[in-house]
Amino acid sequence: MRFVPTPRRPSPAMIIALIALSVSIGGTSYAAIKLPKNSVGAAQLKANSVTGAKVKNKSLKADDFAAGQLPAGAQGAQGLQGPQGVAGKDGKDGVNGQNGLLGTVVVRRTDIALPDPTVGGQPGAWQSAFAQCNAGEKIIGGSVNVSNGDRAEVNISRPATDNAGGGGIPDDGEQFSFWKGTARTFPGFTGVTMRVFATCVQQP
């Protein structure tokens, strides 16, 4: 009778060693690679490879979307009024200003009686007069009116470079020294006065 030995099963350690040897001979190796943060983007992903089915529900935040991609919700209710802020500091005292833009503004006035109308229903003759400022003052404007607007009319109210004759008319940009007025009385009326005003600034 011949004795036949019973085959022995390989141990677990032997099995693991054989698997490792097989992988090594096949040329395949595995290694754990840690990728830098934010290193995987659109350039590394295949187009349309990341779909909604591959994103965990409720895992995205508003910061993950570009501006204007999320629709705005309805306006919420107005919040409670906040507490009153701290009072600011008092400002510095301003510099004392002058009376008026360039100085004290005054009016110089010239009154003149208008000629009465002549007989025959004709109006009175035109009458002119000039107003001017005092020494140390500068004229900046003027005006003309009559004591009774129903009895007379004003024809001229303008600046003048002088008070000779009809008064010189200033050119564009030219200075003037007088204000001229011209008026006349309507037919049938008498006793009307024309008043010519010069607006002056008392220069400091």
Side-chain angles (χ1 to χ4, degrees):
M1 182 177 178
R2 186 179 178 184
F3 176 75
V4 179
T6 303
R8 298 181 60 184
R9 293 183 179 180
S11 64
M14 179 63 71
I15 295 175
I16 294 175
L18 292 174
I19 293 174
L21 179 60
S22 175
V23 171
S24 176
I25 294 175
T28 304
S29 60
Y30 297 87
I33 300 176
K34 184 177 181 181
L35 298 176
K37 185 178 180 180
N38 298 326
S39 63
V40 178
Q44 290 76 27
L45 296 176
K46 183 179 179 181
N48 300 322
S49 61
V50 179
T51 61
K54 297 181 180 180
V55 178
K56 183 180 179 181
N57 292 338
K58 301 182 180 180
S59 62
L60 297 179
K61 299 180 181 179
D63 295 341
D64 298 322
F65 295 88
Q69 296 301 310
L70 295 178
Q75 182 176 357
Q78 182 177 356
L80 299 177
Q81 183 176 355
Q84 183 176 357
V86 180
K89 296 182 180 180
D90 294 336
K92 292 184 178 181
D93 293 336
V95 179
N96 292 331
Q98 295 180 343
N99 185 11
L101 181 62
L102 303 175
T104 302
V105 179
V106 296
V107 173
R108 303 302 177 189
R109 170 177 162 179
T110 298
D111 290 5
I112 187 169
L114 295 178
D116 292 338
T118 58
V119 295
Q122 297 297 319
W126 291 108
Q127 178 68 49
S128 296
F130 298 86
Q132 67 181 108
C133 301
N134 294 344
E137 300 173 350
K138 181 177 180 61
I139 186 169
I140 59 173
S143 63
V144 178
N145 65 20
V146 292
S147 59
N148 192 323
D150 294 332
R151 296 186 177 187
E153 62 177 339
V154 175
N155 177 253
I156 295 175
S157 177
R158 64 166 174 83
T161 57
D162 56 62
N163 60 349
I169 300 176
D171 292 329
D172 182 29
E174 185 179 4
Q175 296 185 356
F176 59 95
S177 302
F178 301 88
W179 198 267
K180 176 184 177 180
T182 302
R184 69 178 179 180
T185 304
F186 290 139
F189 297 102
T190 59
V192 182
T193 300
M194 177 177 65
R195 298 173 292 209
V196 184
F197 301 88
T199 304
C200 311
V201 173
Q202 294 177 340
Q203 298 176 314

